[in-house]
Amino acid sequence: MLPTSVVILDFGSQTTQLIARRCRELKVYSKIFPCSVSLETLKKENPAAIILSGGPASVHVSDSPSLPAGLFELGLPILGICYGAQSIAHQLGGHVKPSKKSEFGHAELDLQAHSKLFENLEHPDVWMSHGDQVDALPAGFETLASTSTCPHAAFMCESKKLYGVQFHPEVTHTKEGTKILSNFLFSIAKLKADYELSSFLEEEVERIKKQVGNAQVIMALSGGVDSSVAAKLIQNAIGDKLIPIYVNHGLHRLGELEEISELKPLVIDAKELFLGRLKGVTDPEQKRKAIGQTFIEVFEAESKKHPNAKFLGQGTLYPDVIESVSAHGGPSAVIKSHHNVGGLPERMHLKLVEPLRMLFKDEVRKLGRLLGLSEKWVARQPFPGPGLAIRILGEVTPERCEFLAKADLIVRQEISGPYWQYFAVLLPVKSVGVMGDARSYGETICVRCVESTDGMTADWAYLPRETLRKVSNRIINEVPGVSRVVYDISSKPPATIEWE
Ligand code: XMP
């Protein structure tokens, strides 16, 4: 049986994904759709409730996103957050005031009326981030709470189960935000907390069996956690009809090949081909494109040997899927050409099998554990498809690869903790040093360690001084030719996590 679900309509808020996360943490299956979704699609989805996200627009601007026509006729409980709340008020005859000054940060709710939404609320601290606000409610609505600057910080029409909050319950700065969402989902919308990864797994296995039938699925393993978990799941469904392939491009971390053998892939040795294609290439985008193109060629040639392979398995995650869905439906700017096998399905007439499309990274790790993947696999750091090539600034040569791989191993051995990623980068800068009373002129290794929840934004980690000292000392002593180690203290944005 499919779990009951809540649909989140995205109006372009930075925190829409967080709303989905919170629902899933409450064991309610949630899906995000762009706010331009048709009523037909919504009906097919058959959700038990709808949440409207915030967004950067103002209802007063002529082309600002509006609610899908007929939304209220569905009779579903709706919770509007920030712009979502303003849209409810605006559409139903209330008034939204464009403010001269944005309100940003903590605020305290002054509860005005009893409601299920704020049942058992003990801490009225909430987090605001808005320009406009509602200054007159539609007929039939009442104010639930105000703040010192916002007269209708929360409002409802209880008989129609319509609720609006100007603040953001999905962010952790709203102290009891999860309780408010839980009240909406369970007390108001009567959803069931029935979303479990184990039932997701069972359903997905059945779905893949049906989708694939007697055909074969080929799958490129990257060495990262997503493709490994996806491969294991597909293998559970179709056994040896899955052909996992690992293209050895020679740009991997030390120990990678041994570890990947746990998944028993077909290993294609294309080291020389890749390094040949990278000869003389120093521009980051050209590097990425050369690697992506070579990968497609190698993979395509190999898969021609498997004529019954009609499907391509991929470890695409939910954030990858919705990243490209903006509130206005436009594509986001290309910062880097992320390496993937995107060109393959059309070129080879393959259909996609993407069992992780609806999951977040931490759910993928949990699923990996459920599938029996060993902890060292499940807890792996993300590793970019183009491998060490985008961490070697300047030309990629076999020597520079080997050099960086040694320093990178030390970084991985010495740093531990709940960081998103930690690795070494080889800079194209030589510098003067003094070693054993003699002048040295050697390479520069940069250590990068970042904290992040999804890789979209990141902050550099405040590593203990002792750890930094040990990393630096070991690299200088154990990787001949290094005369300087530096630590990257740039957050994302404006920097990116990888250097290229
Ligand atoms: P950036 O450098 O864009 O990286 O801040 C964000 C996250 O994505 C990883 N990354 C990649 N992953 N193919 C991948 O599969 C790629 O081409 C690629 N480039 C960056 C990066 O390691 C970080 O976790």
Side-chain angles (χ1 to χ4, degrees), residues 288 336 338-339 382 384-386 390 420-421 455 492 496-498:
R288 282 177 169 272
K336 309 177 176 185
H338 273 225
H339 162 97
I390 56 166
W420 174 262
Q421 260 170 318
K492 173 183 178 176
T496 52
I497 295 177
E498 304 289 347

Side-chain angles (χ1 to χ4, degrees), residues 443-456:
E443 304 283 358
T444 311
I445 288 288
C446 169
V447 177
R448 180 95 164 121
C449 177
V450 296
E451 288 167 341
S452 175
T453 49
D454 52 14
M456 306 283 290

Side-chain angles (χ1 to χ4, degrees), residues 106-109 122-127 167 173-177:
H106 280 282
E108 196 158 309
L109 289 184
E122 284 163 22
H123 301 278
D125 303 352
V126 297
W127 193 75
F167 60 90
H173 311 293
T174 294
K175 226 170 184 170
E176 290 189 306

Side-chain angles (χ1 to χ4, degrees), residues 42-64:
L42 276 184
K43 279 184 187 161
K44 262 191 232 148
E45 211 46 50
N46 193 25
I50 292 192
I51 298 180
L52 312 173
S53 84
S58 163
V59 294
H60 294 287
V61 176
S62 60
D63 65 345
S64 58

Side-chain angles (χ1 to χ4, degrees), residues 201-221:
L201 179 58
E202 281 166 30
E203 273 155 31
E204 209 42 32
V205 163
E206 287 312 309
R207 195 192 61 74
I208 294 170
K209 276 184 189 164
K210 266 197 211 131
Q211 184 191 8
V212 171
N214 286 323
Q216 288 178 309
V217 178
I218 49 172
M219 169 129 206
L221 295 176

